[in-house]
Amino acid sequence: AWRLLANCRIASRDLDGALEPLAKAGELATDAQSWLMLGQLELQRERFAPARDALTKALTKAKPTERASIQLLLG
């Protein structure tokens, strides 16, 4: 539900409103997608420390096939 709310806010261009739901979704999810989306949003906003934190959390939940793209974003 948190990820759905975040996606709706992103679709309505309310990027600031999507940050908190993505963080909550990331905490509850078993996959890396919510943390990855949060990291990408933070990168777009040029907020690099929060982006690094979100992408690091995404890396801990990532599948082996997802790790390379997350590491590229971290670089």
Side-chain angles (χ1 to χ4, degrees), residues 12-29:
S12 69
R13 302 200 190 280
D14 179 16
L15 300 182
D16 291 333
L19 298 176
E20 184 180 347
L22 278 175
K24 289 182 179 183
E27 292 170 9
L28 298 173

Side-chain angles (χ1 to χ4, degrees), residues 31-58:
D31 62 4
Q33 293 306 309
S34 297
W35 288 122
L36 179 58
M37 288 174 57
L38 180 59
Q40 290 171 333
L41 280 179
E42 294 289 14
L43 282 174
Q44 289 176 359
R45 300 174 73 223
E46 295 184 4
R47 294 180 37 167
F48 301 115
R52 182 192 62 230
D53 294 341
L55 292 170
T56 301
K57 290 176 183 176

